[in-house]
Amino acid sequence: MSESGWDLFGRRLLQRTYQPGRMRALTLTPGPPRAAHLDPDAPRAVVRWDGQRWKLVAIVDNLAAAQALMRPDKPGPEPW
């Protein structure tokens, strides 16, 4: 049985998205989920995928704090 290109793409996308250790920052505001840049000052829940479910890591004050927690080795802007 042959698999269509879209089926293969979807399966690979899910495999990349749900890797153990992957972290996400969820906006804690009422309403449906929205893009992170639309409300950068809103509090965030940082969660990590453990292979079976998302587990809460921390609740932080804003998007910058969530990004710093998720990627501590990523350098910030250069001081001029």
Side-chain angles (χ1 to χ4, degrees):
M1 210 159 153
S2 175
E3 187 171 27
S4 75
W6 286 110
D7 292 338
L8 183 60
F9 172 77
R11 189 163 27 100
R12 287 184 178 166
L13 180 64
L14 285 174
Q15 288 172 350
R16 282 194 309 264
T17 302
Y18 294 100
Q19 292 178 355
R22 183 175 175 98
M23 297 177 80
R24 296 176 67 184
L26 306 172
T27 307
L28 298 176
T29 56
R34 300 177 61 183
H37 71 280
L38 294 178
D39 198 0
D41 295 325
R44 312 286 165 150
V46 178
V47 293
R48 177 180 284 131
W49 181 251
D50 70 356
Q52 294 183 356
R53 61 184 164 270
W54 293 100
K55 289 190 174 183
L56 181 65
V57 173
I59 303 226
V60 295
D61 293 331
N62 55 31
L63 178 60
Q67 289 174 337
L69 181 65
M70 292 188 304
R71 293 176 286 210
D73 57 342
K74 184 176 181 184
E78 291 184 29
W80 292 94

Coordinates of all heavy atoms in Angstrom, one line a residue:
M1 N 0.8 -1.2 0.0 CA 0.0 0.0 0.0 C 0.9 1.2 0.0 O 1.8 1.3 0.8 CB -0.9 0.0 1.2 CG -2.2 0.6 1.1 SD -3.2 0.0 2.4 CE -4.3 1.3 2.6
S2 N 0.6 2.2 -0.9 CA 1.4 3.4 -1.0 C 0.9 4.5 -0.1 O -0.3 4.6 0.1 CB 1.4 3.8 -2.5 OG 2.0 5.0 -2.6
E3 N 1.8 5.3 0.4 CA 1.4 6.4 1.3 C 1.6 7.7 0.5 O 2.6 7.9 -0.1 CB 2.4 6.3 2.5 CG 2.0 7.3 3.6 CD 2.9 7.1 4.8 OE1 4.0 6.6 4.7 OE2 2.4 7.5 5.9
S4 N 0.6 8.5 0.6 CA 0.6 9.8 -0.1 C 1.7 10.7 0.6 O 2.1 10.5 1.7 CB -0.7 10.5 -0.1 OG -1.0 11.1 1.1
G5 N 2.1 11.7 -0.2 CA 3.1 12.6 0.3 C 2.6 13.4 1.6 O 3.4 13.7 2.5
W6 N 1.3 13.7 1.6 CA 0.8 14.5 2.7 C 0.7 13.6 4.0 O 0.9 14.1 5.1 CB -0.6 15.0 2.4 CG -0.6 16.2 1.5 CD1 -0.9 16.2 0.2 CD2 0.0 17.5 1.8 NE1 -0.7 17.4 -0.4 CE2 -0.1 18.2 0.6 CE3 0.5 18.0 2.9 CZ2 0.3 19.6 0.5 CZ3 1.0 19.4 2.8 CH2 0.8 20.1 1.7
D7 N 0.4 12.3 3.8 CA 0.4 11.4 5.0 C 1.8 11.3 5.6 O 2.0 11.3 6.8 CB -0.1 10.0 4.6 CG -1.6 10.0 4.2 OD1 -2.3 10.9 4.7 OD2 -2.0 9.1 3.5
L8 N 2.8 11.2 4.7 CA 4.2 11.0 5.2 C 4.6 12.3 5.9 O 5.2 12.3 6.9 CB 5.1 10.7 4.0 CG 6.6 10.5 4.3 CD1 6.7 9.4 5.3 CD2 7.3 10.3 3.0
F9 N 4.3 13.5 5.3 CA 4.6 14.8 5.9 C 4.0 14.9 7.2 O 4.6 15.3 8.2 CB 4.1 15.9 4.9 CG 4.3 17.3 5.6 CD1 5.5 17.9 5.6 CD2 3.2 17.9 6.1 CE1 5.6 19.1 6.2 CE2 3.3 19.2 6.7 CZ 4.5 19.8 6.7
G10 N 2.7 14.5 7.4 CA 2.0 14.6 8.6 C 2.6 13.8 9.7 O 2.8 14.2 10.9
R11 N 3.0 12.5 9.3 CA 3.6 11.6 10.3 C 5.0 12.2 10.8 O 5.3 12.1 12.0 CB 3.7 10.3 9.7 CG 4.2 9.2 10.7 CD 3.9 7.8 10.3 NE 3.9 7.5 8.9 CZ 4.9 7.0 8.2 NH1 6.1 6.7 8.8 NH2 4.9 6.8 6.9
R12 N 5.8 12.7 9.8 CA 7.1 13.2 10.2 C 6.9 14.5 11.1 O 7.7 14.7 12.0 CB 7.9 13.6 9.0 CG 8.4 12.3 8.3 CD 9.2 12.6 7.1 NE 9.8 11.4 6.5 CZ 10.3 11.4 5.3 NH1 10.5 12.5 4.6 NH2 10.8 10.3 4.8
L13 N 5.9 15.3 10.8 CA 5.7 16.5 11.6 C 5.3 16.1 13.0 O 5.8 16.7 14.0 CB 4.6 17.3 10.9 CG 4.2 18.6 11.7 CD1 5.4 19.6 11.7 CD2 3.0 19.3 11.0
L14 N 4.5 15.1 13.2 CA 4.1 14.7 14.5 C 5.3 14.1 15.3 O 5.5 14.3 16.5 CB 3.0 13.6 14.4 CG 1.6 14.2 14.1 CD1 0.6 13.0 13.9 CD2 1.1 15.1 15.2
Q15 N 6.2 13.3 14.6 CA 7.3 12.8 15.2 C 8.3 13.9 15.7 O 8.9 13.8 16.8 CB 8.1 11.9 14.2 CG 7.4 10.6 14.0 CD 8.0 9.7 12.9 OE1 8.9 10.2 12.2 NE2 7.6 8.5 12.7
R16 N 8.4 15.0 14.9 CA 9.3 16.1 15.4 C 8.6 16.9 16.5 O 9.3 17.3 17.4 CB 9.6 17.0 14.2 CG 10.6 16.5 13.2 CD 11.0 17.6 12.3 NE 10.0 18.3 11.7 CZ 9.5 18.0 10.4 NH1 10.0 17.1 9.7 NH2 8.5 18.7 9.9
T17 N 7.3 17.0 16.4 CA 6.6 17.8 17.4 C 6.6 17.2 18.8 O 6.8 17.8 19.8 CB 5.2 18.1 17.0 OG1 5.3 18.8 15.7 CG2 4.5 19.0 18.0
Y18 N 6.4 15.9 18.8 CA 6.3 15.2 20.1 C 7.5 14.3 20.4 O 7.4 13.1 20.6 CB 5.0 14.3 20.0 CG 3.7 15.2 20.0 CD1 3.1 15.4 18.8 CD2 3.3 15.8 21.1 CE1 2.0 16.2 18.7 CE2 2.2 16.6 21.0 CZ 1.5 16.8 19.9 OH 0.4 17.6 19.8
Q19 N 8.6 15.0 20.5 CA 9.9 14.3 20.9 C 10.0 14.6 22.4 O 9.7 15.7 22.9 CB 11.1 14.9 20.3 CG 11.2 14.7 18.8 CD 12.4 15.3 18.2 OE1 13.1 16.1 18.8 NE2 12.6 15.1 16.9
P20 N 10.3 13.5 23.2 CA 10.5 13.7 24.6 C 11.5 14.8 24.9 O 12.5 14.9 24.3 CB 11.0 12.3 25.1 CG 10.5 11.4 24.1 CD 10.5 12.1 22.8
G21 N 11.2 15.7 25.9 CA 12.0 16.8 26.2 C 11.7 18.1 25.6 O 12.1 19.2 26.0
R22 N 10.8 18.0 24.5 CA 10.4 19.3 23.8 C 9.6 20.1 24.8 O 8.7 19.6 25.5 CB 9.6 18.9 22.6 CG 9.2 20.2 21.8 CD 8.5 19.8 20.5 NE 8.0 20.9 19.8 CZ 8.7 21.5 18.8 NH1 9.8 21.0 18.4 NH2 8.2 22.5 18.2
M23 N 9.8 21.4 24.7 CA 9.1 22.3 25.6 C 8.2 23.3 24.9 O 8.5 23.7 23.7 CB 10.1 23.1 26.5 CG 10.9 22.2 27.4 SD 12.1 23.1 28.4 CE 11.2 23.7 29.7
R24 N 7.1 23.8 25.5 CA 6.2 24.8 24.9 C 5.9 25.8 26.0 O 5.9 25.5 27.2 CB 5.0 24.1 24.4 CG 5.1 23.1 23.3 CD 3.9 22.4 23.0 NE 2.9 23.4 22.4 CZ 1.7 23.1 22.0 NH1 1.2 21.9 22.2 NH2 0.9 24.0 21.5
A25 N 5.5 27.0 25.5 CA 5.0 28.0 26.4 C 3.6 28.3 26.0 O 3.3 28.7 24.9 CB 5.9 29.3 26.3
L26 N 2.7 28.1 27.0 CA 1.3 28.3 26.7 C 0.8 29.6 27.4 O 1.1 29.8 28.6 CB 0.5 27.1 27.2 CG 0.9 25.8 26.8 CD1 0.1 24.7 27.5 CD2 0.7 25.7 25.3
T27 N 0.2 30.5 26.6 CA -0.3 31.7 27.2 C -1.5 31.5 28.1 O -2.4 30.7 27.8 CB -0.8 32.7 26.0 OG1 0.2 32.8 25.1 CG2 -1.2 34.0 26.5
L28 N -1.4 32.1 29.3 CA -2.5 31.9 30.3 C -3.5 33.1 30.2 O -3.5 33.9 31.1 CB -1.9 31.8 31.7 CG -1.0 30.6 31.9 CD1 -0.3 30.6 33.3 CD2 -1.7 29.3 31.6
T29 N -4.2 33.2 29.2 CA -5.2 34.2 29.0 C -6.5 33.5 28.6 O -6.5 32.4 28.1 CB -4.8 35.2 27.9 OG1 -4.6 34.5 26.7 CG2 -3.6 36.0 28.3
P30 N -7.7 34.2 28.9 CA -8.9 33.6 28.5 C -9.1 33.6 26.9 O -8.5 34.4 26.2 CB -10.0 34.5 29.1 CG -9.3 35.7 29.6 CD -7.8 35.4 29.6
G31 N -9.8 32.6 26.4 CA -10.1 32.5 25.0 C -9.2 31.4 24.4 O -8.5 30.7 25.0
P32 N -9.3 31.3 23.0 CA -8.5 30.3 22.3 C -7.0 30.6 22.3 O -6.6 31.7 22.5 CB -9.1 30.3 20.9 CG -9.6 31.7 20.8 CD -10.1 32.1 22.2
P33 N -6.2 29.6 22.1 CA -4.8 29.8 22.0 C -4.5 30.8 20.9 O -5.1 30.8 19.8 CB -4.2 28.4 21.6 CG -5.3 27.5 22.0 CD -6.6 28.2 21.9
R34 N -3.5 31.7 21.1 CA -3.1 32.7 20.1 C -1.6 32.7 20.0 O -0.9 32.1 20.8 CB -3.6 34.1 20.6 CG -5.1 34.1 20.8 CD -5.5 35.4 21.3 NE -5.1 36.5 20.4 CZ -5.3 37.8 20.6 NH1 -5.9 38.2 21.7 NH2 -5.0 38.7 19.7
A35 N -1.1 33.3 18.9 CA 0.3 33.4 18.7 C 1.0 34.1 19.8 O 0.4 35.0 20.4 CB 0.6 34.1 17.4
A36 N 2.2 33.7 20.1 CA 3.0 34.2 21.3 C 3.2 35.7 21.2 O 3.1 36.5 22.2 CB 4.3 33.5 21.4
H37 N 3.5 36.2 20.0 CA 3.8 37.7 19.8 C 2.6 38.6 20.0 O 2.8 39.8 20.2 CB 4.4 37.9 18.4 CG 3.4 37.8 17.3 ND1 3.0 36.6 16.8 CD2 2.7 38.7 16.6 CE1 2.2 36.8 15.8 NE2 2.0 38.1 15.7
L38 N 1.4 38.1 20.0 CA 0.2 39.0 20.2 C 0.0 39.5 21.6 O -0.5 40.5 21.8 CB -1.0 38.2 19.7 CG -1.1 37.9 18.2 CD1 -2.3 37.1 17.9 CD2 -1.0 39.1 17.4
D39 N 0.5 38.8 22.6 CA 0.4 39.2 24.0 C 1.7 38.8 24.7 O 1.7 37.9 25.6 CB -0.8 38.6 24.6 CG -1.2 39.4 25.9 OD1 -0.6 40.3 26.2 OD2 -2.2 39.0 26.5
P40 N 2.8 39.5 24.4 CA 4.1 39.1 25.0 C 4.2 39.3 26.5 O 5.0 38.7 27.2 CB 5.1 39.9 24.3 CG 4.4 41.1 23.8 CD 3.0 40.6 23.5
D41 N 3.3 40.1 27.1 CA 3.4 40.4 28.5 C 2.5 39.5 29.4 O 2.4 39.6 30.6 CB 3.0 41.9 28.8 CG 4.1 42.8 28.2 OD1 5.3 42.4 28.2 OD2 3.7 43.9 27.7
A42 N 1.8 38.6 28.7 CA 0.9 37.7 29.5 C 1.7 36.6 30.1 O 2.7 36.2 29.7 CB -0.1 37.1 28.5
P43 N 1.2 36.1 31.3 CA 1.9 35.0 31.9 C 1.8 33.7 31.1 O 0.9 33.6 30.3 CB 1.1 34.8 33.3 CG -0.2 35.5 33.1 CD 0.0 36.5 32.0
R44 N 2.8 32.9 31.3 CA 2.9 31.6 30.5 C 3.1 30.4 31.4 O 3.7 30.5 32.4 CB 4.2 31.7 29.6 CG 4.3 32.9 28.8 CD 3.4 33.0 27.7 NE 3.3 34.3 27.1 CZ 3.1 34.6 25.9 NH1 2.8 33.7 25.0 NH2 3.0 35.9 25.5
A45 N 2.6 29.3 30.9 CA 2.9 28.0 31.5 C 3.9 27.3 30.6 O 3.6 27.1 29.4 CB 1.6 27.2 31.6
V46 N 5.0 27.0 31.2 CA 6.0 26.2 30.4 C 5.8 24.8 30.7 O 5.8 24.3 31.8 CB 7.4 26.7 30.8 CG1 8.5 25.9 30.0 CG2 7.6 28.2 30.5
V47 N 5.6 24.0 29.6 CA 5.4 22.5 29.7 C 6.4 21.8 28.9 O 7.0 22.3 27.9 CB 3.9 22.2 29.3 CG1 2.9 22.8 30.2 CG2 3.7 22.6 27.9
R48 N 6.6 20.5 29.3 CA 7.6 19.6 28.6 C 6.9 18.3 28.3 O 6.2 17.7 29.1 CB 8.8 19.4 29.5 CG 9.8 18.4 28.9 CD 11.0 18.1 29.8 NE 11.9 19.3 29.7 CZ 12.4 19.9 30.8 NH1 12.1 19.5 32.0 NH2 13.2 21.0 30.6
W49 N 7.1 17.8 27.1 CA 6.6 16.6 26.6 C 7.5 15.4 27.1 O 8.7 15.4 26.9 CB 6.5 16.5 25.1 CG 6.0 15.3 24.5 CD1 6.6 14.3 23.9 CD2 4.6 14.9 24.5 NE1 5.8 13.3 23.5 CE2 4.5 13.6 23.9 CE3 3.4 15.4 25.0 CZ2 3.3 12.9 23.7 CZ3 2.3 14.7 24.9 CH2 2.2 13.5 24.2
D50 N 6.9 14.5 27.9 CA 7.7 13.4 28.4 C 7.6 12.1 27.7 O 8.0 11.0 28.1 CB 7.3 13.1 29.9 CG 5.9 12.5 30.1 OD1 5.2 12.3 29.0 OD2 5.5 12.2 31.2
G51 N 6.9 12.1 26.5 CA 6.7 11.0 25.7 C 5.3 10.4 25.7 O 4.9 9.7 24.8
Q52 N 4.5 10.9 26.7 CA 3.1 10.5 26.8 C 2.2 11.6 27.0 O 1.0 11.6 26.6 CB 3.0 9.4 27.9 CG 3.7 8.1 27.6 CD 3.4 7.1 28.7 OE1 2.8 7.4 29.7 NE2 4.0 5.9 28.4
R53 N 2.7 12.6 27.7 CA 1.8 13.8 28.0 C 2.7 15.0 28.3 O 3.9 14.9 28.6 CB 0.9 13.5 29.2 CG 1.6 13.2 30.5 CD 0.7 12.8 31.6 NE 1.4 12.2 32.7 CZ 1.6 10.9 32.8 NH1 1.1 10.1 31.9 NH2 2.2 10.4 33.8
W54 N 2.0 16.2 28.3 CA 2.7 17.4 28.6 C 2.7 17.6 30.1 O 1.7 17.5 30.7 CB 2.0 18.6 27.9 CG 2.1 18.6 26.5 CD1 1.2 18.2 25.6 CD2 3.2 19.1 25.7 NE1 1.6 18.4 24.3 CE2 2.9 18.9 24.3 CE3 4.5 19.6 26.0 CZ2 3.7 19.2 23.3 CZ3 5.3 19.9 24.9 CH2 5.0 19.7 23.6
K55 N 3.9 17.9 30.7 CA 4.0 18.1 32.2 C 4.4 19.6 32.4 O 5.3 20.1 31.8 CB 5.0 17.2 32.8 CG 4.5 15.7 32.8 CD 5.4 14.9 33.6 CE 4.9 13.5 33.8 NZ 5.7 12.7 34.7
L56 N 3.8 20.2 33.4 CA 4.1 21.5 33.8 C 5.5 21.6 34.4 O 5.8 20.9 35.3 CB 3.1 22.0 34.8 CG 3.2 23.5 35.3 CD1 3.0 24.4 34.2 CD2 2.3 23.8 36.4
V57 N 6.3 22.6 33.9 CA 7.6 22.8 34.4 C 7.6 24.1 35.3 O 8.1 24.0 36.4 CB 8.6 23.0 33.2 CG1 10.0 23.5 33.7 CG2 8.7 21.8 32.3
A58 N 7.0 25.1 34.8 CA 7.0 26.4 35.6 C 5.9 27.3 35.0 O 5.4 27.2 33.9 CB 8.3 27.1 35.5
I59 N 5.5 28.3 35.8 CA 4.7 29.4 35.4 C 5.5 30.6 35.5 O 6.1 30.9 36.6 CB 3.4 29.5 36.3 CG1 2.7 28.2 36.3 CG2 2.6 30.7 35.9 CD1 1.2 28.2 36.1
V60 N 5.6 31.4 34.4 CA 6.5 32.5 34.4 C 5.7 33.8 34.0 O 4.5 33.7 33.6 CB 7.6 32.3 33.3 CG1 8.6 31.2 33.8 CG2 7.1 32.0 32.0
D61 N 6.3 35.0 34.2 CA 5.6 36.2 34.1 C 5.3 36.6 32.6 O 4.3 37.3 32.4 CB 6.4 37.4 34.7 CG 6.4 37.2 36.2 OD1 5.5 36.6 36.8 OD2 7.4 37.6 36.8
N62 N 6.1 36.3 31.7 CA 5.9 36.8 30.3 C 6.7 35.9 29.3 O 7.3 34.9 29.6 CB 6.4 38.3 30.2 CG 7.8 38.4 30.6 OD1 8.7 37.5 30.5 ND2 8.1 39.6 31.2
L63 N 6.6 36.3 28.0 CA 7.2 35.5 26.9 C 8.7 35.5 27.1 O 9.3 34.4 26.9 CB 6.8 36.1 25.6 CG 7.4 35.4 24.4 CD1 7.0 34.0 24.3 CD2 7.0 36.2 23.1
A64 N 9.4 36.6 27.4 CA 10.8 36.6 27.5 C 11.3 35.6 28.6 O 12.3 34.9 28.4 CB 11.3 38.0 27.8
A65 N 10.6 35.6 29.7 CA 11.0 34.7 30.8 C 10.8 33.2 30.4 O 11.6 32.3 30.7 CB 10.2 34.9 32.1
A66 N 9.7 33.0 29.6 CA 9.5 31.6 29.1 C 10.6 31.2 28.1 O 11.1 30.1 28.2 CB 8.1 31.5 28.4
Q67 N 11.0 32.1 27.2 CA 12.0 31.8 26.3 C 13.4 31.5 27.0 O 14.1 30.6 26.6 CB 12.1 32.9 25.2 CG 11.0 32.9 24.3 CD 11.0 34.1 23.3 OE1 11.6 35.1 23.6 NE2 10.3 33.9 22.2
A68 N 13.6 32.3 28.0 CA 14.9 32.1 28.7 C 14.9 30.8 29.4 O 16.0 30.1 29.5 CB 15.1 33.3 29.7
L69 N 13.8 30.3 29.9 CA 13.7 29.0 30.6 C 13.8 27.9 29.6 O 14.5 26.9 29.9 CB 12.4 28.9 31.4 CG 12.1 27.7 32.2 CD1 13.2 27.5 33.3 CD2 10.7 27.6 32.7
M70 N 13.2 28.0 28.4 CA 13.2 27.0 27.5 C 14.5 26.9 26.7 O 14.9 25.8 26.3 CB 12.1 27.2 26.5 CG 10.7 27.0 27.1 SD 9.4 27.0 25.9 CE 9.6 28.5 25.0
R71 N 15.2 28.0 26.5 CA 16.5 28.0 25.8 C 17.5 28.8 26.5 O 17.9 29.9 26.1 CB 16.3 28.6 24.4 CG 15.4 27.7 23.5 CD 15.2 28.4 22.2 NE 14.2 29.5 22.5 CZ 13.4 30.0 21.6 NH1 13.4 29.5 20.4 NH2 12.6 30.9 21.9
P72 N 18.1 28.2 27.6 CA 19.0 29.0 28.4 C 20.4 29.2 27.7 O 21.1 30.1 28.1 CB 19.2 28.1 29.7 CG 18.9 26.8 29.2 CD 17.8 26.9 28.2
D73 N 20.7 28.4 26.8 CA 22.0 28.5 26.1 C 22.0 29.5 24.9 O 23.0 29.8 24.3 CB 22.5 27.2 25.6 CG 21.6 26.5 24.7 OD1 20.4 26.8 24.7 OD2 22.0 25.5 24.0
K74 N 20.8 30.0 24.5 CA 20.7 30.9 23.4 C 21.1 32.3 23.9 O 20.5 32.8 24.8 CB 19.3 30.9 22.9 CG 19.1 31.8 21.7 CD 17.7 31.7 21.1 CE 17.6 32.6 19.9 NZ 16.3 32.7 19.4
P75 N 22.1 32.9 23.2 CA 22.6 34.2 23.7 C 21.5 35.3 23.4 O 20.8 35.2 22.4 CB 23.9 34.4 22.9 CG 23.7 33.6 21.7 CD 22.8 32.4 22.1
G76 N 21.5 36.3 24.2 CA 20.7 37.4 24.0 C 21.3 38.4 23.1 O 22.3 38.1 22.4
P77 N 20.7 39.6 22.9 CA 21.2 40.6 22.1 C 22.6 41.1 22.6 O 22.8 41.1 23.8 CB 20.2 41.7 22.1 CG 19.4 41.5 23.3 CD 19.5 40.0 23.6
E78 N 23.4 41.5 21.7 CA 24.7 42.0 22.0 C 24.6 43.4 22.7 O 23.9 44.2 22.2 CB 25.6 42.1 20.8 CG 26.0 40.8 20.2 CD 27.0 41.0 19.0 OE1 27.7 42.0 19.1 OE2 27.0 40.2 18.1
P79 N 25.3 43.6 23.8 CA 25.2 44.9 24.5 C 26.1 45.8 23.7 O 27.3 45.5 23.3 CB 25.8 44.6 25.9 CG 26.6 43.4 25.7 CD 26.0 42.6 24.6
W80 N 25.6 47.0 23.3 CA 26.4 48.0 22.6 C 26.9 49.1 23.5 O 26.4 49.6 24.3 CB 25.6 48.6 21.4 CG 25.3 47.5 20.4 CD1 24.1 46.7 20.4 CD2 26.1 47.1 19.3 NE1 24.2 45.9 19.3 CE2 25.4 46.1 18.6 CE3 27.3 47.5 18.9 CZ2 25.9 45.5 17.5 CZ3 27.8 46.9 17.8 CH2 27.1 45.9 17.1

